[in-house]
Amino acid sequence: DGRYQLESVLASGGMASIYIAMDLRLDRKVAVKIMHPHLAQNEEFVSRFIREAKATASLNHPNIVGIQDQGWNEGGAPAVFIVMEYVDGSTLREFLFERGSLSLDEVLSFMIPVTSALSEAHRIGIIHRDLKPENILIDEEGYLKLTDFGFATICNPVKGLSQVLGSPMYMAPELVLEKSYNAAVDIWSIGVITHILLSGCPPFY
């Protein structure tokens, strides 16, 4: 878009890749999430991608990664992108891989800010729907940030979904069996994450 200079790939998933980039206008490092080109032709995926930007931009909490910009590439390959604050550190998944399991005090120190961020999202009517250790970032000072609201939706009970999106290990039963959800599905995911942090393994296999 003429403003962001991509430097290196930070992560890649089924929907998008995230790059470390330089905001040339403000001379600062940012993270740029770019939807995969083949999905940029799909109106449903583009709508979901933009919804992530709007949902996260509406949140104002120190433990939620901030959204700084959203747009479309005007030239070249189709590209829908979101610009986020850059968190220099690792994911909770990577931290757990190194440690195996955590003490109760450590788990509380991690989950209290995460649940505080989630509470703020629920307060203004947003369900995350994809909570997992990969979506919790830890900066170099140990500060936690909740990210990736790609499956976020408005906090109204919904039934009869045509498809279930998310990470199966962390999904509440009603989301899988009944294809319905409300804010409680996030609480279930928090319980699964907490169990993994304490024991080093998931509650179900």
Side-chain angles (χ1 to χ4, degrees):
D1 198 39
R3 175 172 179 176
Y4 305 103
Q5 180 176 314
L6 305 183
E7 296 182 351
S8 60
V9 177
L10 188 60
S12 187
M15 190 174 179
S17 293
I18 301 176
Y19 297 82
I20 299 174
M22 181 62 68
D23 182 340
L24 301 176
R25 196 174 300 168
L26 297 179
D27 194 27
R28 65 180 177 185
K29 191 169 288 189
V30 295
V32 179
K33 185 174 186 177
I34 304 178
M35 177 180 281
H36 297 318
H38 68 282
L39 296 179
Q41 309 290 334
N42 186 307
E43 188 173 320
E44 179 184 354
F45 281 101
V46 171
S47 176
R48 186 185 305 150
F49 199 72
I50 295 173
R51 184 170 68 238
E52 174 185 2
K54 290 182 177 180
T56 314
S58 66
L59 294 168
N60 182 20
H61 192 280
N63 297 109
I64 295 177
V65 170
I67 295 292
Q68 300 174 355
D69 193 10
Q70 187 275 319
W72 294 265
N73 189 28
E74 297 295 336
V80 186
F81 65 88
I82 299 173
V83 181
M84 306 171 286
E85 67 171 297
Y86 172 63
V87 179
D88 189 6
S90 62
T91 67
L92 184 55
R93 166 67 65 200
E94 293 166 334
F95 183 85
L96 186 61
F97 182 77
E98 294 178 359
R99 292 287 303 276
S101 63
L102 309 178
S103 69
L104 178 58
D105 286 343
E106 289 174 317
V107 171
L108 289 175
S109 70
F110 280 179
M111 296 312 294
I112 286 174
V114 170
T115 52
S116 175
L118 184 62
S119 177
E120 174 61 17
H122 287 179
R123 186 186 70 80
I124 66 171
I126 294 174
I127 308 171
H128 190 287
R129 282 210 299 162
D130 194 27
L131 291 169
K132 55 187 177 181
E134 291 87 337
N135 289 338
I136 300 171
L137 306 180
I138 309 173
D139 69 17
E140 292 184 326
E141 297 179 357
Y143 200 80
L144 272 69
K145 294 268 190 177
L146 183 58
T147 188
D148 203 349
F149 282 75
F151 296 150
T153 189
I154 301 303
C155 207
N156 294 321
V158 176
K159 293 184 178 180
L161 296 173
S162 60
Q163 57 180 324
V164 177
L165 301 170
S167 304
M169 184 185 297
Y170 305 94
M171 282 184 180
E174 64 269 28
L175 190 56
V176 178
L177 299 176
E178 302 173 15
K179 295 186 178 180
S180 65
Y181 63 87
N182 56 30
V185 301
D186 282 345
I187 307 302
W188 174 277
S189 300
I190 287 292
V192 174
I193 293 170
T194 302
H195 186 284
I196 292 173
L197 293 179
L198 286 169
S199 67
C201 61
F204 309 106
Y205 291 92

